[in-house]
Amino acid sequence: MKVLVLGAGVAGVSSAWYLAEAGHEVTVIDRAEGVAMETSFANAGQLSYGYTTPWAAPGIPTKALKWLFKSHPPLLFRPDGSLYQIEWLWQMLQNCTASRYQINKERMVRISEYSREMFRRFEAQTGMNFEGRKKGTLQIFRQTKEVEAAEQDIAVLERYGVPYRRLKPEECAEFEPALARVTTKIAGGLHLPADATGDCHLFTENLYKLCQEKGVQFHFNQTISRIDHNGLRIKAVETETGRFEADAVVCALGCFSRTVLAQLDLNLPIYPVKGYSLTLPVTNSDGAPVSTVLDESYKVAITRFDNRIRVGGMAELSGYEIKLPEKRRETLALVVNDLFPEGGDLNQALFWSGLRPMTPDSTPLIGRTRFDNLFLNTGHGTLGWTMSLGSAKLTADIVSGKDTEIRSDDLSLSRYQA
């Protein structure tokens, strides 16, 4: 079967890999000049299976209001002038109940745990190097009230069998030795030993090469102009320079899945949530992080690659336009300099921003649409890297008409159309 994948980020290229593994003839198109050039380019680097949690949760509306008044807020809201922004926020607020949280959490953990298994199989199969580390995630709390509030998260970890360890301030240095210099700034910690890290962009570039070896065709600089269909099936996808016909189409366009598929009268509940990152060279390995440190106060993650430190975080609801405000850079620089002042050179840091495709319930859209041969693998929010291989394998199995290894019937767009 000929399968056309729209999007060459980590979701699209991973989908192409598993589709090719299943024996399909696969073509990938993307508007960029290469793979992983947008949202997958410089994310925080966490494979945070244990921190898979919906944004929409009880108490979040109150917290969000308080964050808006902080000098370095983890959440920012700027009206984008669209009614859709308000509609999306209203849908998210409706998911901020205990019952909805449990449903959404179960779906997300199911995908993340499956993705963990897919990464295990993939690395055993390919031996790929993407500067990955399996040393866990250390969440640090700067205030006692944050330590107390974490008990709710710990209860969830126990419910889903995720290994963890509570830490006193001085114990944090067992996992991140450089933090011994700043233990007076830490009230406690939580270590998740089963989490991992890696460079998503490097991974996708290497996977692109493996896909090519399997015969996957890639066409870059392709802006989609029209989707030709007969009301039941997609006949072809047209770009400014060509026409791509296929037996099946997989949409993995992230935030732009909504805008591209709007011409089919498909209403994808995806909103672009802007995130920021800094990437700086390591100047003193002993003063740099070992794995990922998540600063709970600022909602900023600091991740170690081989010779670089990636600092990523914040969430901004302000539409599709990407800017690089100095204030956002200051927040990231403040956190990494406060915890790892000797680790890297901020003067050489690369400042970046990307759009995370977020659904109101934080769960991705995976599976069929009302078009017989159009499938989705999009809307992963802040967990696209973490869920990448699991989501892609699910997508490939659904396209192939196979039974999926985990439950997938509640992941499609239909849950918003009931």
Side-chain angles (χ1 to χ4, degrees):
M1 183 165 63
K2 292 184 177 180
V3 183
L4 176 65
V5 178
L6 312 181
V10 68
V13 178
S14 298
S15 297
W17 166 258
Y18 285 113
L19 287 163
E21 285 266 283
H24 300 296
E25 183 181 332
V26 185
T27 299
V28 181
I29 64 172
D30 196 282
R31 68 177 186 175
E33 66 273 16
V35 300
M37 297 303 293
E38 297 192 39
T39 303
S40 301
F41 184 75
N43 63 19
Q46 304 162 267
L47 289 165
S48 49
Y49 315 108
Y51 281 104
T52 297
T53 301
W55 263 35
I60 285 296
T62 301
K63 287 182 180 180
L65 287 174
K66 293 179 180 178
W67 288 334
L68 294 177
F69 296 99
K70 295 183 69 172
S71 57
H72 293 281
L75 174 67
L76 302 103
F77 173 73
R78 302 282 186 273
D80 66 7
S82 72
L83 177 61
Y84 176 66
Q85 184 188 45
I86 305 303
E87 293 174 345
W88 185 91
L89 283 169
W90 175 245
Q91 284 183 294
M92 191 193 79
L93 289 173
Q94 290 179 308
N95 278 278
C96 291
T97 65
S99 60
R100 293 303 307 173
Y101 177 86
Q102 290 302 323
I103 292 171
N104 297 332
K105 175 79 176 180
E106 191 281 326
R107 289 171 175 162
M108 295 175 68
V109 169
R110 189 196 319 155
I111 301 168
S112 286
E113 287 302 311
Y114 184 54
S115 195
R116 185 204 301 272
E117 172 60 17
M118 290 303 101
F119 267 97
R120 185 194 68 77
R121 296 182 198 176
F122 178 84
E123 290 182 77
Q125 175 185 357
T126 68
M128 181 195 288
N129 172 37
F130 51 96
E131 300 192 18
R133 296 178 176 223
K134 295 182 175 64
K135 299 185 177 182
T137 296
L138 173 62
Q139 184 178 18
I140 64 163
F141 309 104
R142 293 175 181 263
Q143 302 175 40
T144 302
K145 64 180 181 181
E146 293 174 347
V147 177
E148 296 169 350
E151 289 302 315
Q152 296 180 5
D153 294 328
I154 289 173
V156 173
L157 295 176
E158 291 181 341
R159 188 177 306 125
Y160 290 99
V162 178
Y164 71 90
R165 178 182 164 189
R166 294 183 183 87
L167 302 174
K168 296 177 181 178
E170 61 274 14
E171 292 175 325
C172 293
E174 292 180 26
F175 301 99
E176 291 289 350
L179 292 180
R181 301 168 171 84
V182 294
T183 52
T184 57
K185 300 178 181 180
I186 301 173
L190 181 66
H191 187 247
L192 275 70
D195 280 5
T197 62
D199 186 333
C200 180
H201 182 252
L202 177 61
F203 173 88
T204 311
E205 284 191 321
N206 289 342
L207 186 56
Y208 159 64
K209 296 172 185 175
L210 292 179
C211 284
Q212 286 183 305
E213 292 175 7
K214 283 190 172 293
V216 178
Q217 298 294 311
F218 288 82
H219 298 268
F220 299 112
N221 301 302
Q222 300 289 329
T223 300
I224 297 170
S225 56
R226 178 174 175 268
I227 300 177
D228 187 10
H229 66 94
N230 62 11
L232 297 175
R233 294 179 59 83
I234 306 301
K235 297 167 63 177
V237 175
E238 299 176 359
T239 71
E240 296 174 349
T241 59
R243 176 181 171 89
F244 297 88
E245 297 181 352
D247 301 307
V249 178
V250 174
C251 181
L253 290 168
C255 292
F256 297 94
S257 301
R258 174 179 172 80
T259 55
V260 169
L261 297 189
Q263 63 181 280
L264 301 177
D265 292 325
L266 290 176
N267 183 20
L268 273 59
I270 293 174
Y271 190 82
V273 176
K274 204 169 301 176
Y276 297 90
S277 75
L278 287 176
T279 306
L280 50 153
V282 172
T283 52
N284 176 8
S285 187
D286 291 338
V290 171
S291 187
T292 288
V293 174
L294 181 61
D295 190 323
E296 176 62 20
S297 295
Y298 294 95
K299 304 292 185 184
V300 167
I302 306 171
T303 297
R304 173 70 178 273
F305 297 146
D306 287 355
N307 299 304
R308 296 168 296 147
I309 299 172
R310 173 71 50 74
V311 191
M314 293 174 286
E316 183 175 322
L317 304 172
S318 59
Y320 283 85
E321 186 178 13
I322 292 181
K323 295 182 179 179
L324 293 171
E326 185 59 28
K327 187 68 175 177
R328 307 289 87 79
R329 181 190 178 103
E330 289 174 2
T331 299
L332 298 172
L334 180 152
V335 175
V336 69
N337 195 51
D338 195 44
L339 297 177
F340 300 98
E342 302 172 14
D345 186 357
L346 281 167
N347 292 322
Q348 298 184 53
L350 172 66
F351 187 29
W352 173 89
S353 180
L355 302 175
R356 310 173 182 116
M358 183 72 75
T359 62
D361 63 10
S362 301
T363 307
L365 299 169
I366 301 171
R368 296 181 175 277
T369 68
R370 62 178 177 83
F371 289 86
D372 293 342
N373 63 338
L374 175 63
F375 304 84
L376 302 177
N377 183 18
T378 187
H380 297 82
T382 59
L383 293 167
W385 176 214
T386 297
M387 294 181 172
S388 57
L389 291 192
S391 298
K393 182 61 164 61
L394 283 173
T395 302
D397 285 346
I398 294 169
V399 172
S400 302
K402 299 179 180 178
D403 291 335
T404 56
E405 295 181 306
I406 62 171
R407 181 185 173 189
S408 60
D409 62 294
D410 58 348
L411 304 178
S412 73
L413 180 61
S414 63
R415 72 178 188 268
Y416 283 96
Q417 299 170 335

